[in-house]
Coordinates of all heavy atoms in Angstrom, one line a residue:
M44 N 0.8 -1.2 0.0 CA 0.0 0.0 0.0 C 0.9 1.2 0.0 O 1.7 1.4 0.9 CB -0.9 0.0 1.2 CG -1.7 1.2 1.4 SD -3.0 1.1 2.7 CE -2.1 1.6 4.1
N45 N 0.7 2.1 -1.0 CA 1.5 3.3 -1.1 C 0.7 4.5 -0.4 O -0.5 4.6 -0.6 CB 1.8 3.7 -2.5 CG 2.7 2.7 -3.2 OD1 3.3 1.9 -2.5 ND2 2.7 2.7 -4.5
L46 N 1.4 5.3 0.3 CA 0.7 6.4 1.1 C 1.2 7.7 0.5 O 2.4 8.0 0.5 CB 1.1 6.3 2.6 CG 0.7 5.0 3.2 CD1 1.3 4.9 4.6 CD2 -0.8 4.8 3.3
S47 N 0.3 8.6 0.1 CA 0.7 9.9 -0.4 C 1.1 10.7 0.8 O 0.4 10.7 1.9 CB -0.5 10.5 -1.1 OG -0.2 11.8 -1.6
I48 N 2.1 11.5 0.7 CA 2.6 12.3 1.9 C 2.3 13.8 1.6 O 2.6 14.3 0.6 CB 4.1 12.1 2.0 CG1 4.5 10.7 2.4 CG2 4.7 13.1 3.1 CD1 5.9 10.4 2.4
D49 N 1.6 14.4 2.6 CA 1.3 15.8 2.6 C 2.6 16.5 3.0 O 3.1 16.4 4.1 CB 0.2 16.1 3.6 CG -0.2 17.6 3.6 OD1 0.3 18.3 2.8 OD2 -1.0 17.9 4.5
I50 N 3.1 17.3 2.1 CA 4.4 18.0 2.4 C 4.2 19.5 2.8 O 5.1 20.2 3.0 CB 5.3 18.0 1.1 CG1 4.7 18.7 -0.1 CG2 5.7 16.6 0.8 CD1 5.6 18.9 -1.2
T51 N 2.9 19.8 3.1 CA 2.6 21.2 3.6 C 3.4 21.5 4.9 O 3.4 20.6 5.8 CB 1.1 21.3 3.9 OG1 0.4 21.0 2.7 CG2 0.7 22.7 4.3
G52 N 4.1 22.6 4.9 CA 4.8 23.0 6.1 C 6.1 22.3 6.3 O 6.8 22.4 7.3
K53 N 6.5 21.5 5.3 CA 7.8 20.8 5.4 C 8.8 21.4 4.4 O 8.5 21.8 3.4 CB 7.6 19.3 5.1 CG 6.8 18.6 6.2 CD 6.5 17.1 5.8 CE 5.7 16.4 6.8 NZ 4.5 17.0 7.2
T54 N 10.1 21.4 4.8 CA 11.2 21.8 4.0 C 12.1 20.6 3.7 O 12.4 19.9 4.6 CB 12.0 22.9 4.7 OG1 11.1 24.0 5.1 CG2 13.1 23.4 3.8
F55 N 12.5 20.5 2.4 CA 13.3 19.4 2.0 C 14.6 20.0 1.5 O 14.6 20.8 0.6 CB 12.7 18.6 0.9 CG 11.4 17.9 1.4 CD1 10.2 18.5 1.4 CD2 11.5 16.6 1.9 CE1 9.0 17.9 1.8 CE2 10.3 15.9 2.4 CZ 9.1 16.6 2.4
T56 N 15.8 19.5 2.1 CA 17.1 20.0 1.7 C 17.9 18.8 1.2 O 18.0 17.8 2.0 CB 17.8 20.7 2.9 OG1 17.0 21.7 3.3 CG2 19.1 21.2 2.4
V57 N 18.5 18.9 0.1 CA 19.4 17.8 -0.5 C 20.6 17.7 0.4 O 21.3 18.7 0.6 CB 19.7 18.1 -2.0 CG1 20.7 17.0 -2.5 CG2 18.5 18.1 -2.8
T58 N 20.9 16.5 0.9 CA 22.1 16.3 1.8 C 23.1 15.4 1.2 O 24.2 15.2 1.8 CB 21.6 15.7 3.1 OG1 20.9 14.5 2.9 CG2 20.7 16.6 3.9
K59 N 22.9 14.8 0.0 CA 23.9 13.9 -0.7 C 23.6 14.0 -2.1 O 22.4 14.0 -2.5 CB 23.8 12.5 -0.1 CG 24.8 11.6 -0.6 CD 24.7 10.2 0.1 CE 25.8 9.3 -0.4 NZ 25.6 7.9 0.2
A60 N 24.6 14.0 -3.0 CA 24.4 14.0 -4.4 C 23.6 12.9 -4.9 O 23.6 11.8 -4.4 CB 25.8 14.0 -5.1
V61 N 22.9 13.1 -6.0 CA 22.1 12.1 -6.7 C 23.0 11.0 -7.2 O 24.1 11.2 -7.7 CB 21.3 12.7 -7.9 CG1 20.6 11.7 -8.7 CG2 20.4 13.8 -7.5
E62 N 22.5 9.8 -6.9 CA 23.2 8.6 -7.3 C 22.3 7.6 -8.1 O 21.1 7.7 -8.0 CB 23.7 7.8 -6.1 CG 24.7 8.6 -5.3 CD 25.2 7.7 -4.0 OE1 24.5 6.8 -3.7 OE2 26.2 8.1 -3.5
E63 N 23.0 6.8 -9.0 CA 22.2 5.7 -9.6 C 21.7 4.7 -8.6 O 22.4 4.4 -7.7 CB 23.1 5.0 -10.6 CG 23.6 5.9 -11.8 CD 24.5 5.1 -12.7 OE1 24.9 3.9 -12.4 OE2 24.9 5.6 -13.7
K64 N 20.5 4.3 -8.8 CA 19.9 3.2 -7.9 C 20.4 1.9 -8.6 O 20.0 1.6 -9.7 CB 18.4 3.3 -7.7 CG 17.9 2.3 -6.8 CD 16.4 2.6 -6.4 CE 16.0 1.6 -5.4 NZ 15.5 2.3 -4.2
K65 N 21.2 1.1 -7.8 CA 21.8 -0.1 -8.5 C 21.2 -1.4 -7.9 O 20.8 -1.4 -6.7 CB 23.3 0.0 -8.3 CG 23.9 1.1 -9.0 CD 25.4 1.1 -9.0 CE 25.9 2.3 -9.8 NZ 27.3 2.2 -10.0
D66 N 21.3 -2.4 -8.7 CA 20.9 -3.7 -8.2 C 22.1 -4.4 -7.6 O 23.2 -3.8 -7.5 CB 20.3 -4.6 -9.4 CG 21.3 -4.9 -10.5 OD1 22.5 -4.8 -10.3 OD2 20.8 -5.3 -11.5
Q67 N 21.9 -5.7 -7.1 CA 23.0 -6.4 -6.4 C 24.2 -6.6 -7.3 O 25.3 -7.0 -6.8 CB 22.4 -7.7 -5.8 CG 21.9 -8.7 -6.8 CD 20.4 -8.6 -7.1 OE1 19.8 -7.5 -6.9 NE2 19.8 -9.6 -7.6
N68 N 24.0 -6.5 -8.6 CA 25.1 -6.7 -9.6 C 25.8 -5.4 -10.0 O 26.7 -5.4 -10.8 CB 24.6 -7.5 -10.8 CG 24.1 -8.9 -10.4 OD1 24.7 -9.6 -9.6 ND2 23.0 -9.2 -11.0
G69 N 25.4 -4.3 -9.4 CA 26.0 -3.0 -9.7 C 25.4 -2.4 -10.9 O 26.0 -1.3 -11.4
R70 N 24.4 -2.9 -11.5 CA 23.8 -2.3 -12.7 C 22.6 -1.3 -12.3 O 22.0 -1.6 -11.3 CB 23.2 -3.3 -13.6 CG 24.2 -4.2 -14.3 CD 23.6 -5.1 -15.4 NE 22.7 -6.0 -14.8 CZ 22.9 -7.3 -14.5 NH1 24.1 -7.8 -14.9 NH2 22.0 -8.1 -14.0
Q71 N 22.5 -0.2 -13.0 CA 21.4 0.7 -12.6 C 20.1 0.1 -12.9 O 19.8 -0.5 -13.9 CB 21.6 2.0 -13.4 CG 20.6 3.1 -13.0 CD 20.9 4.4 -13.6 OE1 21.7 4.6 -14.5 NE2 20.2 5.4 -13.1
K72 N 19.2 0.2 -11.9 CA 17.8 -0.3 -12.0 C 17.0 0.6 -12.9 O 17.3 1.8 -13.0 CB 17.2 -0.4 -10.6 CG 17.8 -1.4 -9.7 CD 17.0 -1.4 -8.4 CE 17.3 -2.5 -7.5 NZ 16.5 -2.5 -6.3
A73 N 15.9 0.0 -13.4 CA 14.9 0.7 -14.2 C 13.5 0.5 -13.6 O 13.3 -0.6 -13.0 CB 15.0 0.3 -15.7
D74 N 12.6 1.4 -13.8 CA 11.3 1.3 -13.4 C 10.6 0.1 -14.1 O 10.8 0.0 -15.3 CB 10.5 2.6 -13.6 CG 9.1 2.5 -13.1 OD1 8.2 2.0 -13.9 OD2 8.9 3.0 -12.0
K75 N 9.9 -0.8 -13.4 CA 9.3 -1.9 -14.0 C 8.2 -1.6 -15.0 O 8.0 -2.3 -15.9 CB 8.8 -2.9 -12.9 CG 9.8 -3.5 -12.1 CD 9.3 -4.3 -11.0 CE 10.4 -4.9 -10.2 NZ 10.2 -4.9 -8.7
N76 N 7.5 -0.5 -14.8 CA 6.4 -0.1 -15.7 C 6.8 0.8 -16.8 O 6.4 0.6 -17.9 CB 5.3 0.6 -14.8 CG 4.7 -0.2 -13.8 OD1 4.5 -1.4 -14.0 ND2 4.5 0.3 -12.6
T77 N 7.7 1.7 -16.6 CA 8.1 2.7 -17.7 C 9.4 2.4 -18.3 O 9.7 3.0 -19.3 CB 8.1 4.1 -17.1 OG1 9.1 4.2 -16.1 CG2 6.7 4.5 -16.5
N78 N 10.2 1.6 -17.6 CA 11.6 1.3 -18.1 C 12.5 2.5 -18.0 O 13.6 2.5 -18.5 CB 11.6 0.7 -19.5 CG 12.8 -0.3 -19.6 OD1 13.1 -1.0 -18.7 ND2 13.3 -0.3 -20.8
E79 N 12.1 3.6 -17.3 CA 13.0 4.7 -17.0 C 14.0 4.4 -15.9 O 13.7 3.6 -15.1 CB 12.1 6.0 -16.6 CG 11.3 6.6 -17.6 CD 10.6 7.8 -17.1 OE1 9.7 7.7 -16.3 OE2 11.0 8.9 -17.6
L80 N 15.1 5.0 -16.0 CA 16.2 4.7 -15.1 C 15.8 5.2 -13.7 O 15.0 6.2 -13.6 CB 17.5 5.4 -15.5 CG 18.1 4.9 -16.8 CD1 19.3 5.7 -17.2 CD2 18.4 3.4 -16.7
L81 N 16.3 4.6 -12.6 CA 16.0 5.0 -11.2 C 17.2 5.7 -10.6 O 18.4 5.2 -10.8 CB 15.6 3.8 -10.4 CG 14.4 3.0 -10.8 CD1 14.1 1.8 -9.9 CD2 13.2 4.0 -10.8
W82 N 17.0 6.7 -9.8 CA 18.0 7.5 -9.2 C 17.6 7.6 -7.7 O 16.4 7.6 -7.4 CB 18.0 8.9 -9.8 CG 18.2 8.9 -11.3 CD1 17.2 8.8 -12.2 CD2 19.5 8.8 -12.0 NE1 17.8 8.7 -13.5 CE2 19.1 8.7 -13.4 CE3 20.8 8.9 -11.6 CZ2 20.1 8.7 -14.4 CZ3 21.8 8.8 -12.6 CH2 21.4 8.7 -13.9
T83 N 18.6 7.8 -6.8 CA 18.3 8.1 -5.4 C 18.9 9.4 -5.0 O 20.0 9.7 -5.4 CB 18.9 6.9 -4.6 OG1 18.4 5.7 -5.0 CG2 18.6 7.1 -3.1
V84 N 18.2 10.1 -4.2 CA 18.7 11.4 -3.7 C 18.4 11.4 -2.2 O 17.3 11.0 -1.8 CB 18.1 12.6 -4.4 CG1 16.6 12.7 -4.2 CG2 18.7 13.9 -3.9
Q85 N 19.4 11.7 -1.4 CA 19.2 11.8 0.1 C 18.8 13.2 0.4 O 19.4 14.2 -0.1 CB 20.5 11.4 0.8 CG 20.4 11.4 2.3 CD 21.7 11.1 2.9 OE1 22.5 12.0 3.1 NE2 21.9 9.9 3.3
M86 N 17.8 13.4 1.3 CA 17.4 14.7 1.7 C 16.9 14.7 3.1 O 16.6 13.7 3.7 CB 16.3 15.3 0.8 CG 15.1 14.5 0.7 SD 13.9 15.2 -0.5 CE 14.5 14.7 -2.0
M87 N 17.0 15.9 3.7 CA 16.4 16.1 5.1 C 15.1 16.7 5.0 O 14.9 17.7 4.3 CB 17.3 17.0 5.9 CG 16.8 17.2 7.3 SD 17.8 18.2 8.4 CE 17.8 19.8 7.5
A88 N 14.1 16.0 5.6 CA 12.7 16.6 5.7 C 12.6 17.2 7.1 O 12.9 16.6 8.1 CB 11.7 15.5 5.6
L89 N 12.3 18.5 7.1 CA 12.2 19.3 8.3 C 10.9 20.0 8.5 O 10.4 20.6 7.6 CB 13.4 20.3 8.3 CG 13.5 21.2 9.5 CD1 14.0 20.4 10.7 CD2 14.6 22.3 9.2
D90 N 10.3 19.8 9.7 CA 9.1 20.6 10.0 C 9.2 21.0 11.5 O 10.3 20.8 12.1 CB 7.8 19.9 9.7 CG 7.6 18.6 10.6 OD1 8.3 18.4 11.6 OD2 6.8 17.8 10.2
E91 N 8.2 21.5 12.1 CA 8.2 22.0 13.5 C 8.5 21.0 14.5 O 8.9 21.2 15.6 CB 6.9 22.8 13.8 CG 5.7 22.0 14.0 CD 5.0 21.6 12.6 OE1 5.4 22.1 11.6 OE2 4.1 20.8 12.7
T92 N 8.3 19.7 14.1 CA 8.5 18.6 15.1 C 10.0 18.1 15.0 O 10.4 17.2 15.8 CB 7.6 17.4 14.8 OG1 7.8 16.9 13.5 CG2 6.1 17.9 14.9
G93 N 10.8 18.5 14.0 CA 12.1 18.1 13.9 C 12.5 17.6 12.5 O 11.7 17.9 11.6
G94 N 13.6 16.9 12.3 CA 14.0 16.6 11.0 C 14.3 15.1 10.9 O 14.5 14.4 11.9
E95 N 14.3 14.6 9.7 CA 14.5 13.2 9.4 C 15.2 13.1 8.0 O 14.8 13.8 7.1 CB 13.2 12.4 9.3 CG 13.5 10.9 9.1 CD 12.2 10.1 9.1 OE1 11.1 10.6 9.5 OE2 12.2 8.9 8.7
V96 N 16.3 12.3 7.9 CA 17.0 12.1 6.7 C 16.3 10.9 6.0 O 16.1 9.9 6.5 CB 18.5 11.8 6.9 CG1 19.1 11.5 5.5 CG2 19.1 13.0 7.5
I97 N 15.9 11.2 4.7 CA 15.2 10.1 3.9 C 15.9 10.0 2.6 O 16.6 10.9 2.1 CB 13.7 10.4 3.7 CG1 13.5 11.7 3.0 CG2 13.0 10.4 5.0 CD1 12.0 12.0 2.6
N98 N 15.8 8.8 2.0 CA 16.3 8.6 0.6 C 15.1 8.5 -0.3 O 14.2 7.7 0.0 CB 17.1 7.3 0.5 CG 18.5 7.4 1.2 OD1 19.2 8.3 0.9 ND2 18.7 6.5 2.2
V99 N 15.1 9.2 -1.4 CA 13.9 9.3 -2.2 C 14.4 8.8 -3.6 O 15.4 9.2 -4.2 CB 13.4 10.7 -2.4 CG1 12.2 10.8 -3.3 CG2 12.9 11.2 -1.0
T100 N 13.6 7.8 -4.2 CA 13.8 7.3 -5.5 C 13.1 8.2 -6.5 O 11.9 8.5 -6.3 CB 13.4 5.8 -5.6 OG1 14.1 5.1 -4.7 CG2 13.5 5.3 -7.0
L101 N 13.8 8.5 -7.6 CA 13.2 9.3 -8.7 C 13.4 8.5 -10.0 O 14.3 7.7 -10.1 CB 13.9 10.6 -8.8 CG 14.0 11.5 -7.6 CD1 15.0 12.6 -7.7 CD2 12.6 12.1 -7.4
T102 N 12.6 8.8 -11.0 CA 12.7 8.1 -12.3 C 13.1 9.2 -13.3 O 12.7 10.3 -13.2 CB 11.4 7.4 -12.8 OG1 10.4 8.3 -12.8 CG2 11.1 6.2 -11.8
G103 N 13.8 8.7 -14.4 CA 14.1 9.6 -15.5 C 15.3 9.1 -16.2 O 16.2 8.5 -15.6
N104 N 15.4 9.4 -17.5 CA 16.6 8.9 -18.2 C 17.8 9.8 -18.1 O 18.8 9.4 -18.7 CB 16.1 8.7 -19.7 CG 15.2 7.5 -19.8 OD1 15.4 6.5 -19.1 ND2 14.2 7.6 -20.6
A105 N 17.7 10.9 -17.4 CA 18.9 11.7 -17.0 C 18.8 11.9 -15.5 O 17.8 12.1 -14.9 CB 18.8 13.0 -17.8
A106 N 20.0 12.1 -14.9 CA 20.1 12.3 -13.5 C 19.4 13.7 -13.2 O 19.7 14.6 -13.9 CB 21.5 12.3 -13.0
P107 N 18.6 13.7 -12.1 CA 18.1 15.0 -11.7 C 19.2 16.0 -11.3 O 20.2 15.6 -10.7 CB 17.3 14.7 -10.4 CG 17.0 13.2 -10.5 CD 18.2 12.6 -11.2
K108 N 19.1 17.2 -11.7 CA 20.2 18.2 -11.5 C 19.9 19.0 -10.3 O 19.2 20.1 -10.4 CB 20.3 19.1 -12.8 CG 20.7 18.3 -14.0 CD 21.3 19.1 -15.1 CE 21.7 18.4 -16.3 NZ 21.8 17.0 -16.3
V109 N 20.3 18.5 -9.1 CA 20.2 19.3 -7.9 C 21.5 19.2 -7.1 O 22.2 18.2 -7.3 CB 19.0 18.7 -7.0 CG1 17.7 19.0 -7.6 CG2 19.2 17.3 -6.7
N110 N 21.9 20.2 -6.4 CA 23.1 20.3 -5.7 C 22.9 20.0 -4.2 O 21.8 20.4 -3.7 CB 23.8 21.6 -5.9 CG 24.2 21.9 -7.3 OD1 24.6 21.0 -8.0 ND2 24.0 23.1 -7.8
V111 N 23.9 19.5 -3.5 CA 23.8 19.4 -2.1 C 23.6 20.7 -1.5 O 24.2 21.7 -1.9 CB 25.1 18.7 -1.5 CG1 25.1 18.8 0.0 CG2 25.3 17.3 -2.1
G112 N 22.6 20.8 -0.5 CA 22.3 22.1 0.1 C 21.1 22.8 -0.5 O 20.5 23.7 0.0
A113 N 20.7 22.3 -1.7 CA 19.5 22.9 -2.4 C 18.2 22.5 -1.7 O 18.0 21.4 -1.2 CB 19.4 22.4 -3.8
V114 N 17.4 23.5 -1.5 CA 16.0 23.3 -1.0 C 15.1 22.9 -2.2 O 15.1 23.6 -3.2 CB 15.5 24.6 -0.3 CG1 14.1 24.4 0.2 CG2 16.4 24.9 0.9
V115 N 14.5 21.8 -2.1 CA 13.7 21.2 -3.2 C 12.2 20.9 -2.7 O 12.0 20.8 -1.5 CB 14.3 20.0 -3.8 CG1 15.6 20.3 -4.4 CG2 14.5 18.9 -2.7
T116 N 11.3 20.7 -3.6 CA 10.0 20.3 -3.3 C 9.7 19.0 -4.1 O 9.7 19.0 -5.3 CB 8.9 21.3 -3.7 OG1 9.3 22.6 -3.1 CG2 7.5 20.9 -3.4
P117 N 9.6 17.9 -3.3 CA 9.3 16.6 -4.0 C 7.8 16.7 -4.6 O 6.9 17.1 -3.9 CB 9.3 15.5 -2.9 CG 9.9 16.2 -1.7 CD 9.7 17.7 -1.9
V118 N 7.7 16.2 -5.9 CA 6.4 16.2 -6.5 C 5.8 14.8 -6.4 O 6.5 13.8 -6.7 CB 6.6 16.6 -8.0 CG1 5.2 16.5 -8.7 CG2 7.2 18.0 -8.1
E119 N 4.6 14.7 -5.9 CA 3.9 13.5 -5.7 C 4.7 12.5 -4.8 O 4.9 11.3 -5.2 CB 3.5 12.9 -7.0 CG 2.5 13.7 -7.8 CD 2.1 13.1 -9.1 OE1 2.1 11.9 -9.3 OE2 1.7 13.9 -10.0
L120 N 5.2 12.9 -3.7 CA 5.9 12.1 -2.8 C 5.1 11.0 -2.1 O 4.0 11.3 -1.6 CB 6.6 13.0 -1.7 CG 7.5 12.2 -0.7 CD1 8.7 11.6 -1.3 CD2 7.9 13.2 0.4
I121 N 5.5 9.8 -2.2 CA 4.8 8.7 -1.6 C 5.7 7.9 -0.7 O 6.9 7.8 -0.9 CB 4.1 7.7 -2.7 CG1 5.1 7.1 -3.6 CG2 3.0 8.5 -3.4 CD1 4.6 6.0 -4.5
A122 N 5.1 7.2 0.3 CA 5.8 6.3 1.2 C 5.3 4.9 0.9 O 4.1 4.7 0.7 CB 5.5 6.7 2.6
M123 N 6.3 3.9 0.8 CA 5.9 2.6 0.5 C 6.5 1.7 1.6 O 7.7 1.3 1.6 CB 6.5 2.2 -0.9 CG 6.0 3.0 -2.0 SD 6.8 2.7 -3.6 CE 8.4 3.3 -3.2
P124 N 5.7 1.3 2.6 CA 6.2 0.4 3.7 C 6.6 -0.9 3.0 O 6.0 -1.4 2.1 CB 5.0 0.2 4.6 CG 4.1 1.4 4.3 CD 4.3 1.7 2.8
W125 N 7.7 -1.6 3.6 CA 8.1 -2.8 3.0 C 8.6 -3.7 4.2 O 8.9 -3.2 5.3 CB 9.3 -2.6 2.0 CG 10.5 -1.9 2.6 CD1 10.7 -0.6 2.6 CD2 11.6 -2.5 3.3 NE1 11.9 -0.3 3.2 CE2 12.5 -1.5 3.6 CE3 11.9 -3.8 3.7 CZ2 13.7 -1.7 4.4 CZ3 13.1 -4.0 4.4 CH2 14.0 -3.0 4.7
A126 N 8.6 -5.0 3.9 CA 9.2 -6.0 4.9 C 9.8 -7.1 4.1 O 9.1 -7.7 3.2 CB 8.0 -6.5 5.8
T127 N 11.0 -7.5 4.4 CA 11.7 -8.6 3.7 C 12.7 -9.2 4.7 O 13.5 -8.6 5.4 CB 12.6 -8.0 2.5 OG1 11.7 -7.3 1.7 CG2 13.2 -9.1 1.7
N128 N 12.6 -10.6 4.7 CA 13.6 -11.4 5.6 C 13.7 -10.8 7.0 O 14.8 -10.7 7.5 CB 14.9 -11.4 4.9 CG 14.9 -12.1 3.6 OD1 14.1 -12.9 3.3 ND2 15.8 -11.6 2.7
G129 N 12.5 -10.5 7.6 CA 12.5 -10.1 9.0 C 12.9 -8.6 9.2 O 13.0 -8.1 10.3
R130 N 13.2 -7.9 8.1 CA 13.6 -6.5 8.2 C 12.4 -5.7 7.6 O 11.6 -6.2 6.8 CB 14.8 -6.2 7.4 CG 16.1 -6.9 7.9 CD 17.3 -6.7 7.0 NE 17.4 -5.3 6.6 CZ 17.8 -5.0 5.3 NH1 18.1 -5.9 4.4 NH2 18.0 -3.7 5.0
N131 N 12.2 -4.5 8.0 CA 11.2 -3.6 7.5 C 11.6 -2.2 7.5 O 12.5 -1.8 8.2 CB 9.8 -3.9 8.2 CG 9.9 -3.5 9.7 OD1 10.3 -2.4 10.1 ND2 9.6 -4.5 10.5
G132 N 10.9 -1.4 6.8 CA 11.1 0.0 6.7 C 10.2 0.7 5.8 O 9.1 0.2 5.5
V133 N 10.5 1.9 5.3 CA 9.7 2.7 4.4 C 10.6 3.2 3.3 O 11.7 3.8 3.5 CB 9.1 3.9 5.2 CG1 8.2 4.7 4.2 CG2 8.2 3.4 6.3
A134 N 10.1 3.0 2.1 CA 10.8 3.5 0.9 C 10.0 4.7 0.4 O 8.8 4.7 0.5 CB 10.9 2.4 -0.2
Y135 N 10.7 5.7 -0.1 CA 10.1 6.9 -0.6 C 10.4 7.1 -2.1 O 11.4 6.8 -2.6 CB 10.7 8.1 0.2 CG 10.4 8.1 1.6 CD1 11.3 7.6 2.5 CD2 9.2 8.6 2.1 CE1 11.0 7.6 3.9 CE2 8.9 8.6 3.5 CZ 9.8 8.1 4.4 OH 9.5 8.0 5.7
K136 N 9.3 7.6 -2.8 CA 9.5 7.8 -4.2 C 8.7 9.1 -4.6 O 7.7 9.4 -4.0 CB 8.8 6.6 -5.0 CG 9.1 6.7 -6.5 CD 8.6 5.4 -7.1 CE 9.0 5.3 -8.6 NZ 8.6 4.1 -9.2
A137 N 9.3 9.8 -5.5 CA 8.7 11.1 -6.0 C 8.8 11.1 -7.5 O 9.7 10.5 -8.1 CB 9.4 12.3 -5.4
K138 N 7.8 11.8 -8.1 CA 7.8 11.9 -9.6 C 8.9 12.7 -10.0 O 9.6 12.4 -11.0 CB 6.4 12.5 -10.0 CG 6.2 12.5 -11.4 CD 4.8 13.0 -11.7 CE 4.5 12.9 -13.2 NZ 3.1 13.3 -13.5
S139 N 9.2 13.8 -9.3 CA 10.3 14.7 -9.7 C 10.6 15.6 -8.5 O 9.9 15.5 -7.5 CB 10.0 15.5 -10.9 OG 8.9 16.4 -10.7
L140 N 11.6 16.5 -8.6 CA 11.9 17.5 -7.6 C 11.8 18.8 -8.3 O 12.3 19.0 -9.4 CB 13.4 17.3 -7.1 CG 13.7 16.0 -6.4 CD1 15.2 16.0 -6.0 CD2 12.8 15.8 -5.2
N141 N 11.2 19.8 -7.6 CA 11.2 21.2 -8.0 C 12.1 22.0 -7.1 O 12.0 21.8 -5.9 CB 9.8 21.7 -8.0 CG 8.9 21.2 -9.1 OD1 9.4 20.7 -10.1 ND2 7.6 21.4 -8.9
A142 N 13.0 22.8 -7.7 CA 13.8 23.7 -6.9 C 13.3 25.1 -7.1 O 13.1 25.5 -8.3 CB 15.3 23.5 -7.4
P143 N 13.1 25.9 -6.1 CA 12.6 27.2 -6.2 C 13.5 28.0 -7.2 O 14.7 28.0 -7.2 CB 12.8 27.8 -4.8 CG 12.7 26.6 -3.9 CD 13.4 25.5 -4.7
G144 N 12.8 28.6 -8.2 CA 13.6 29.5 -9.1 C 14.1 28.7 -10.3 O 14.7 29.2 -11.2
N145 N 14.0 27.3 -10.3 CA 14.5 26.5 -11.3 C 13.4 25.7 -12.0 O 12.4 25.5 -11.4 CB 15.6 25.5 -10.8 CG 16.8 26.2 -10.3 OD1 17.1 27.4 -10.6 ND2 17.6 25.5 -9.5
A146 N 13.7 25.1 -13.1 CA 12.8 24.2 -13.7 C 12.9 22.9 -12.9 O 13.8 22.7 -12.1 CB 13.2 23.9 -15.2
K147 N 11.9 22.0 -13.1 CA 11.9 20.8 -12.3 C 13.2 20.0 -12.6 O 13.7 20.0 -13.7 CB 10.6 20.0 -12.5 CG 10.5 19.3 -13.8 CD 9.2 18.5 -13.9 CE 9.1 17.8 -15.2 NZ 7.9 17.0 -15.3
A148 N 13.6 19.3 -11.5 CA 14.9 18.5 -11.7 C 14.5 17.1 -11.9 O 13.4 16.6 -11.7 CB 15.6 18.6 -10.4

């Protein structure tokens, strides 16, 4: 079950450069539905309750152009709870990133 995230009142700051999302063999993964390449960007989500560092997966055939320290707005950010081999967590995915004053990344 994917959960849409309300980003109202939250600030997102890029904390690590965009990287290729790779499989266990070191090859870049692609979206199963669109075949677009997958990228990962680490960012800090901050609101009045505090901050959390999250990794967000993005799709696109070119790496999103955002710099560390840039304030961005994730477009259609969703959370996808997962559980595998006794481990669990939440994966995040966004359609794209918007940076104030720039075209979408």
Side-chain angles (χ1 to χ4, degrees):
M44 177 170 85
N45 296 341
L46 306 169
S47 182
I48 297 176
D49 181 5
I50 62 170
T51 304
K53 294 175 179 53
T54 303
F55 295 87
T56 305
V57 176
T58 55
K59 187 175 179 185
V61 174
E62 296 179 344
E63 295 177 353
K64 186 169 183 124
K65 296 188 177 187
D66 64 17
Q67 62 270 23
N68 298 316
R70 291 188 297 257
Q71 187 171 8
K72 290 182 169 185
D74 184 274
K75 292 176 182 142
N76 297 320
T77 66
N78 213 31
E79 288 184 291
L80 296 175
L81 296 179
W82 307 89
T83 301
V84 62
Q85 182 186 81
M86 60 181 78
M87 179 180 62
L89 181 67
D90 65 15
E91 69 280 351
T92 64
E95 181 178 349
V96 174
I97 61 173
N98 290 306
V99 178
T100 298
L101 304 163
T102 57
N104 290 320
K108 298 197 181 345
V109 292
N110 296 320
V111 172
V114 175
V115 296
T116 303
V118 177
E119 297 179 26
L120 182 63
I121 59 171
M123 302 172 292
W125 60 269
T127 305
N128 298 329
R130 297 175 44 220
N131 60 57
V133 178
Y135 297 93
K136 188 172 186 178
K138 186 173 185 176
S139 62
L140 298 177
N141 286 343
N145 294 342
K147 71 179 182 179

